[in-house]
Amino acid sequence: MLSKSLWSAVVAGIISAIVWSGAAFAQKKYDPGASDTEIKIGQTMPYSGPASSYSTIGLVMKAYFDKINAEGGVNGRKITLLSQDDGFVSSKTVEATRKLVEQDDVLFIAGSLGTAPNAAVQKYLNIKKVPQLFVATGATRWGDPEHFPWTMGWQPSYQIEGAILGRYTAATYPTAKIGVLYQNDDSGKDYIKGFKAGLGDAAKLIVAETSYELSDPTVDSQVITLKTAGADVFFLHANPRFVAQAIRRTFELTWKPAIILPSVGASVGAALAPAGLEKSIGAVTAAYMKDPTDKVWESDKGFQDWLAFMKQWYPRGSLIDGSNAYGYSMAQTIVQVLKQCGDELTRENVMKQAASMKDLELPMLLPGINLSTSAKDFFPIKQMRLARFDGTSWIVMPK
């Protein structure tokens, strides 16, 4: 039997071992871009060029991180967003992304915009094992953890959205003549694939299908082609600039088709207002976010918080541009992932935490829509609701 003094020494040794192991467990772990005081995040955004209407996403994200930093940061660390202009040109995206990773030493890339620009750096970032998080595009390739385990989407996939709009079109216009305009890249092709799948047998109702290039000055000729084909339903996939052009031209031609408008071009501030709000009355889209122009949200706390944030932290941002709600929500998602990381700010843990979200609710998402991910599910948002434009706002339609 141990003596009292020997027993005390044993107990002291055990306690010391426990304390030491606990300290080791709690030891901070950092990869490039992280420290006791800072977390550096990289991003590319089209601050110039044909897709510059989306650049407000990067600006509102930076503003949100400024707010978080003013409140003490995440786990005591300030967020630095290094957002570079790529002009929506893939070669510039490659150059900027390599600089962010190899010279600026960012911890990860997040919220970069565009299907083609992100595709151009997807393989590079996966080889480097740098998280490519919450890609600001809904192409299906962002949800492929088997082949690209370091790339994750954020919004619903374009194919899912296209299928929702296709099913609605087939059910609502069973004898329609459908005209299709889409952006000639992976995003447009994803939308059309989903739309046709949703139409099912009604895909035979498509009487004309045409595309445009981002370098095109206008889409006037494409709109004329669809009208000439006799289409009375217009599936219009385009960025806000070309949506505005297409809707104006449709009005000038006194062509009055039912307009089916994917969410990427449905911003009231960036697309419908420049075209003339009255010209889009009755258009239908698929939504997952609260429309800032919809008065139904005026007393909603989530909307009020967003409005207060915009007025204080991003006063030059448009209060009728849904992209500002989008970027705000994406920034909140990033903050949540960083909170989950604690003091283990390694690229591997960032990816692990991004793939471990469970029913995350964000204030500017529609009620009932949340974010969930797993090691095999890299599309956080999967639900959408149909909405109709009433001349002022997108009004969510009954289920």
Side-chain angles (χ1 to χ4, degrees):
M1 186 173 182
L2 295 174
S3 67
K4 185 175 181 180
S5 59
L6 184 57
W7 177 251
S8 297
V10 171
V11 170
I14 293 172
I15 292 173
S16 176
I18 291 172
V19 170
W20 182 88
S21 64
F25 179 79
Q27 187 177 11
K28 297 173 183 177
K29 295 181 180 179
Y30 297 136
D31 271 347
S35 69
D36 284 348
T37 59
E38 184 185 33
I39 302 166
K40 287 197 292 186
I41 300 171
Q43 179 186 79
T44 56
M45 191 64 54
Y47 293 106
S48 61
S52 59
S53 59
Y54 290 122
S55 65
T56 191
I57 293 171
L59 297 174
V60 76
M61 289 178 70
K62 184 181 184 305
Y64 187 79
F65 294 146
D66 288 343
K67 171 183 178 292
I68 293 298
N69 292 340
E71 295 168 352
V74 179
N75 300 322
R77 300 174 181 87
K78 301 294 178 68
I79 300 173
T80 299
L81 178 65
L82 302 178
S83 187
Q84 305 295 313
D85 181 15
D86 66 1
F88 212 74
V89 176
S90 296
S91 60
K92 292 183 179 180
T93 309
V94 171
E95 180 182 354
T97 301
R98 284 184 175 274
K99 179 180 181 297
L100 288 166
V101 172
E102 297 172 16
Q103 296 180 35
D104 297 321
D105 287 330
V106 297
L107 180 60
F108 58 92
I109 302 293
S112 293
L113 187 126
T115 299
N118 275 287
V121 296
Q122 186 177 21
K123 185 176 180 180
Y124 165 77
L125 291 171
N126 276 261
I127 290 172
K128 286 284 190 179
K129 298 184 178 181
V130 176
Q132 184 183 22
L133 286 186
F134 311 135
V135 177
T137 148
T140 53
R141 64 186 298 151
W142 318 132
D144 184 7
E146 181 181 354
H147 298 102
F148 297 104
W150 296 88
T151 300
M152 179 177 287
W154 188 76
Q155 66 200 66
S157 83
Y158 293 150
Q159 285 192 30
I160 289 174
E161 182 180 352
I164 291 170
L165 293 172
R167 288 193 293 270
Y168 167 80
T169 301
T172 309
Y173 305 103
T175 60
K177 295 180 180 179
I178 303 170
V180 172
L181 172 62
Y182 66 95
Q183 187 168 294
N184 187 26
D185 62 8
D186 285 348
S187 67
K189 292 169 185 175
D190 266 355
Y191 263 120
I192 299 309
K193 183 176 181 180
F195 183 62
K196 289 179 177 178
L199 285 172
D201 291 341
K204 63 180 180 291
L205 300 176
I206 296 175
V207 295
E209 186 175 325
T210 185
S211 65
Y212 75 92
E213 304 292 337
L214 274 170
S215 57
D216 290 347
T218 74
V219 291
D220 286 359
S221 62
Q222 290 92 330
V223 173
I224 291 170
T225 295
L226 299 181
K227 178 181 186 289
T228 302
D232 51 24
V233 171
F234 184 8
F235 182 83
L236 172 54
H237 166 255
N239 70 28
R241 171 190 168 198
F242 288 108
V243 166
Q245 285 187 9
I247 291 173
R248 277 198 305 267
R249 190 60 176 146
T250 298
F251 185 81
E252 291 165 359
L253 293 169
T254 65
W255 180 34
K256 297 180 180 179
I259 297 175
I260 310 297
L261 185 60
S263 61
V264 294
S267 168
V268 175
L272 305 191
L277 294 176
E278 74 285 355
K279 299 180 179 66
S280 299
I281 293 174
V284 170
T285 192
Y288 54 95
M289 305 197 71
K290 296 170 184 173
D291 175 11
T293 66
D294 189 348
K295 295 185 184 301
V296 74
W297 306 118
E298 284 185 348
S299 60
D300 176 78
K301 185 179 184 305
F303 173 78
Q304 290 176 340
D305 288 347
W306 173 80
L307 195 63
F309 157 78
M310 289 290 293
K311 291 178 178 178
Q312 179 176 355
W313 294 97
Y314 187 36
R316 67 189 177 106
S318 171
L319 299 179
I320 62 171
D321 187 349
S323 290
N324 286 323
Y326 178 101
Y328 172 84
S329 301
M330 183 177 287
Q332 289 179 321
T333 309
I334 292 168
V335 168
Q336 176 60 32
V337 169
L338 293 175
K339 286 179 178 178
Q340 291 176 200
C341 285
D343 290 333
E344 188 179 341
L345 286 164
T346 63
R347 289 165 173 166
E348 183 177 359
N349 193 42
V350 166
M351 206 67 221
K352 178 182 177 182
Q353 297 307 321
S356 302
M357 292 186 287
K358 180 66 174 176
D359 298 330
L360 175 64
E361 296 182 355
L362 298 177
M364 285 301 284
L365 293 184
L366 288 172
I369 294 179
N370 52 43
L371 286 74
S372 291
T373 54
S374 70
K376 295 183 179 181
D377 177 7
F378 274 22
F379 272 115
I381 303 174
K382 291 170 276 292
Q383 312 103 318
M384 301 189 82
R385 295 281 304 278
L386 291 169
R388 188 185 306 277
F389 190 66
D390 70 353
T392 303
S393 309
W394 288 106
I395 307 301
V396 176
M397 296 162 61
K399 290 184 178 180

